[in-house]
Structure formats: structure tokens, C-alpha cells
Amino acid sequence: MSTKPGVKHVQNKSATIKSMIILVLLFFIFGLVSWVNTILVPYFQLTLQLTNFQSSFVTFAFYIAYLVMAIPSSLLLNKMGYKRGMMYGLWCMAIGALLFVPAAYWRVYQVFLLGLFLLGVGLAILQSAANPYVTIVGPIESAAKRMSIVGTGNKLAGVIANLIFAGVVIRESDKVLMREIESGLYTGTSLDAALDNLIKGVMFPYLILAVALFIFGIIVRYSALPELDPSVVNKCSVEDQNSGKSIFQYPALILGVIAMFFHIGTQMIALATSIQYAGTMGESLAGPAKNIPSYTMLLTFLGYFIGIILIPKYLKQRNALLICALLNLVFSILIITTSGTVNLFGITSDISIWYLVMMGLPNALLYAGIWPLAINGLGKHTNLGAAFLVMALCGSAFMPMIYHSLVELNSSLSPFEAMKQAYWILIPCFAYIVWYAARGYRIKSWRRTKELI
């Protein structure tokens, strides 16, 4: 007699271990594809001769897919099943990676943006599927710990993504060519020829990535990962099932979505602008500055291990969120208010850039802290609530554009001061997350909101 897939299958210890291994691999894929954007921004800025604002469309095209696709992804997963949906998500990413080949061959920015958008669409589907898995495979009290475990895969990929890109795409001869282009040695047709030669370095790596994503999609589809029943993901009491409450009547979720938007957006600002910020201090993409995002991700990777050890045995996930948000609020203020030249890891820069890097450590536990607080108690709306939180990842699309707009407004200042002063946008974002961790998550009714502000 066959058994219907359900929560017991997911909570079985053996199945949980196998599920977590696959989920760690999936989150590694998320990180490998996502975090390479931090070096794609300055890389495309040089090879496609883009302004700072134009280069922000690299992250915009990728992360706007979360806003567009999160709810359709939820509907798709309910209809096709989670495992089949994840396979199609990986195949969509494979098509996006494949588009990098003609885009580089003809050096057409718009085709690159389309490829990035399709990569984002695939990731939106995968995120909508993977996060509910992580949330329900164990008790809600340790959800942040499980998020930290799978997050190690994501952030490990973040540590090595830029190193792989820099090592595989930017060859030694390319470094020389980059320095020559930056020095203004090439003009006119000779510049076009040099840029054509430089950007073709992405063709073979992204072709390999496309093939790997396609194969991994088949592996996930037929893996030991249990198929989730949507009724299990949206498990709720009879009372809740019969209630007429709308998803918008859960303040902790809606406020949590805003917190997630700010967290993801500020994280992308810190990562995607760090190389450009170092460039205003005389450091080049061809030099050690290209490793700055990897240092940030290494700290985030360390932060996940701290979370695994401390949560929930020694530290409640809500307290971890509060502490980490406070730390990043302090770092944000220090970026604006401190100055002084330091030399670390072969990089001579203003000390403020290292406060930007240090934000990587607290960032590790923000996502893991916000998600379970926002999604707890949603009952029949759990799947839709997860989709809302995935939509919030579009913060990585909008926040860097807002940041670069502030840089443009400060154009009367030096490039260094213009970028430095624009980082003030981080302060209200982290102040809000502090409030959410301290009081906002407890709001059960909008009528009580004023009491808790």
C-alpha cells in the first residue's frame, strides 16, 4: 500500500540528512551563480564601457526576476511538484548561462542582461522550493540553524566564485590588457578590438556552467530528495483553514518582507560596489582588489559556522538577528565617519572599505533570522508567504541602483567621496532591521502596530 508524501517522510532522520546534503548543493549553486555578479559588475563596466549607473543593471536584471517570478514560481511548484519544478528552474538557469556565449561573441549588453534575467528566473523557482524544505525538515526553533547549514554551501560558493571567475575568465594576458585599457592606451577601433578580445573570456566557462546546470537538474529530479505535498508545506489547523484572513493580515510577514528587502539590498551594495569603491582609491580590477568580495564572503561563511554552533542551544535566533543588525548599523556609521589609509592583503585603501568587508560576518545570520520570524504561524498561507519573502530578494536589484543614483547626485565631489557619502543609505535600512528584531516581529495585528513602534 502506497503512502502519500507528507511530513513524516521529511522528518525521518535518514531522509533529513539526505535532503540537507542535496539542499547544501543547491544553495552552493545559488551562491556560485549569484555572487559572481559582484565581479561581473566591474568586469562588464570595463569590457562594455558602462557608466556606474549602467553597470547597476547587471544586478538589476538578475534580481528583478525574484519580484517577477516568486508568486508564479509558487503556483508552478504547487502544480508540477517541487522536484520537477527545481529541475525546470535549473534548466532555465542553463539557458541563461548559455546566452552568455552569443552575448560575448557579439559584445551585446542587452543579451547579457537577458541571460542574467533567465538565471534569476531559475533561481527564483529554486529559492521558492528550497526554503520551505529547510523550514519544515525540523522544528521551527532550529530553522535558523538549518538555514545556517545550507547557507554554508551558498557562502562557500561566494568565497570561491570571484576567485574562479578571476582565475578562469581573467587570464594573465587579460590583466595586462585591462591595465592598458584603463590607462587609455587604446582608442577607436583598436579599443573595440581589445574589448572584443577581453570579453570572449566568459564564453567557455559559461558554456560549461550551462551543461552542468542541465545535468544537475536531472540529478535533482531523480534524487532521494522527498517530494513535498503542498498541503504539508501549508499545514494549518482547521480553525486557520476556515478563517478568512488575508496574507496581508499577518504584520510579522509583511514587516519581515521589508526587513528582508533591506537586508538583501544592503548586502548587495556592500558586495557589488566594493571593487568600484577600491577603484576610487587607485586599486584596479586586474590587481588584488578583485578579491575583496571573497574576503566579505569568507567572513559570512565564518558567520554561518558561528550560527550553527550557537543557535538555538546558546543563542535564540531572534537575539542573533538583533545583535547582527546592531553590528551592521555600527559598521555603516563607521564607513561614513572614519578615514585613514591602511594596507591589507596587498590593497592600499581607506579604512572604510574594510568596515564594508566586515559587514559580511553579521550578514550571515540576518537572512537566517528574518525568514523563520516572518513565516512563523502563517498556516495555509505558508507557501505564499515564502513567495513574498523570495520576492524581497529583489532588494538586490533596486538598492544598488538607489546607491548609484546617490553617487551621481554627489558628482560634484571626488569619486571617492561621492561613493563614501552614498553609503549613508545603509544606516536607515539596518535601523529598521534592528526594530523588526526587537519589536516588529511580535505584531499580530495592524491595530497594535502603533503600540510597538
Side-chain angles (χ1 to χ4, degrees):
M1 182 174 164
S2 63
T3 351
K4 192 176 182 180
V7 72
K8 289 184 180 178
H9 287 78
V10 181
Q11 290 183 336
N12 175 273
K13 187 174 181 181
S14 175
T16 298
I17 293 171
K18 291 177 183 177
S19 297
M20 289 298 290
I21 291 171
I22 295 169
L23 288 168
V24 168
L25 290 174
L26 274 172
F27 274 75
F28 182 85
I29 295 288
F30 299 167
L32 197 64
V33 175
S34 301
W35 300 121
V36 77
N37 284 335
T38 60
I39 198 169
L40 275 179
V41 172
Y43 181 78
F44 281 158
Q45 187 173 14
L46 175 65
T47 55
L48 298 169
Q49 297 290 280
L50 307 173
T51 65
N52 278 337
F53 184 75
Q54 288 173 326
S55 68
S56 67
F57 278 95
V58 171
T59 51
F60 183 85
F62 184 82
Y63 286 102
I64 196 63
Y66 286 112
L67 181 62
V68 174
M69 280 300 298
I71 292 178
S73 296
S74 176
L75 299 174
L76 176 75
L77 293 169
N78 281 341
K79 185 173 183 179
M80 293 188 172
Y82 279 71
K83 290 173 71 174
R84 188 184 296 273
M86 286 193 284
M87 179 181 71
Y88 288 139
L90 285 160
W91 285 2
C92 183
M93 291 173 65
I95 295 171
L98 195 60
L99 281 176
F100 270 53
V101 177
Y105 186 80
W106 286 297
R107 198 157 61 90
V108 180
Y109 186 40
Q110 291 81 356
V111 180
F112 274 119
L113 295 182
L114 177 60
L116 285 163
F117 177 74
L118 289 177
L119 283 166
V121 167
L123 271 178
I125 297 171
L126 290 172
Q127 290 273 20
S128 296
N131 284 302
Y133 265 112
V134 179
T135 303
I136 74 166
V137 292
I140 190 70
E141 294 78 16
S142 58
K145 180 174 183 175
R146 292 191 301 278
M147 284 283 187
S148 294
I149 292 171
V150 297
T152 57
N154 183 283
K155 295 310 183 280
L156 175 62
V159 171
I160 66 175
N162 292 326
L163 300 176
I164 291 174
F165 186 93
V168 175
V169 176
I170 305 176
R171 299 153 294 189
E172 284 302 317
S173 58
D174 290 337
K175 293 178 182 178
V176 175
L177 189 57
M178 281 180 172
R179 292 190 184 97
E180 291 174 345
I181 292 170
E182 289 171 342
S183 67
L185 187 63
Y186 297 93
T187 57
T189 54
S190 63
L191 176 60
D192 284 335
L195 293 173
D196 286 341
N197 181 56
L198 187 60
I199 203 167
K200 284 178 181 176
V202 303
M203 292 172 62
F204 185 70
Y206 273 84
L207 178 61
I208 297 298
L209 178 62
V211 173
L213 289 169
F214 183 83
I215 294 172
F216 192 61
I218 298 172
I219 292 171
V220 168
R221 172 67 181 86
Y222 297 102
S223 69
L225 194 68
E227 183 61 82
L228 290 186
D229 186 335
S231 65
V232 173
V233 179
N234 295 299
K235 187 181 178 186
C236 58
S237 65
V238 174
E239 180 185 351
D240 184 63
Q241 186 68 42
N242 295 330
S243 77
K245 287 182 73 174
S246 156
I247 188 76
F248 297 103
Q249 291 177 283
Y250 293 87
L253 170 69
I254 304 304
L255 297 171
V257 168
I258 298 170
M260 186 69 78
F261 180 92
F262 285 154
H263 158 53
I264 296 296
T266 52
Q267 180 175 244
M268 185 50 65
I269 287 175
L271 284 163
T273 65
S274 57
I275 297 176
Q276 292 168 302
Y277 189 38
T280 66
M281 306 170 202
E283 293 289 339
S284 168
L285 177 62
K290 67 180 180 293
N291 297 324
I292 291 175
S294 292
Y295 299 143
T296 304
M297 299 306 293
L298 184 61
L299 286 173
T300 306
F301 187 64
L302 176 61
Y304 272 114
F305 275 106
I306 293 173
I308 292 168
I309 293 168
L310 297 182
I311 300 172
K313 187 174 182 180
Y314 302 105
L315 186 65
K316 291 181 180 179
Q317 58 192 21
R318 199 275 302 183
N319 292 337
L321 173 62
L322 180 60
I323 292 168
C324 291
L326 281 168
L327 280 172
N328 270 351
L329 180 59
V330 171
F331 287 143
S332 301
I333 294 169
L334 289 173
I335 290 168
I336 306 296
T337 58
T338 60
S339 60
T341 302
V342 294
N343 188 299
L344 286 173
F345 306 110
I347 302 168
T348 302
S349 64
D350 187 74
I351 193 171
S352 58
I353 198 170
W354 295 107
Y355 291 125
L356 201 63
V357 170
M358 288 167 66
M359 285 170 60
L361 184 65
N363 268 337
L365 300 182
L366 294 185
Y367 184 98
I370 294 168
W371 186 280
L373 289 180
I375 210 169
N376 190 25
L378 292 185
K380 65 181 180 181
H381 296 299
T382 300
N383 206 356
L384 184 58
F388 273 46
L389 285 165
V390 171
M391 287 172 69
L393 303 186
C394 74
S396 288
F398 290 101
M399 292 296 290
M401 296 191 76
I402 295 171
Y403 171 82
H404 283 298
S405 297
L406 292 173
V407 173
E408 296 293 329
L409 287 174
N410 291 329
S411 57
S412 59
L413 302 174
S414 68
F416 166 70
E417 282 297 330
M419 289 195 73
K420 182 171 185 173
Q421 293 305 314
Y423 284 119
W424 73 261
I425 192 64
L426 302 174
I427 296 174
C429 294
F430 287 117
Y432 175 86
I433 299 173
V434 169
W435 172 80
Y436 180 75
R439 304 180 75 88
Y441 79 98
R442 292 188 290 165
I443 300 175
K444 303 300 180 187
S445 167
W446 290 116
R447 284 175 293 183
R448 292 193 60 222
T449 307
K450 289 183 181 178
E451 300 172 19
L452 292 172
I453 292 177

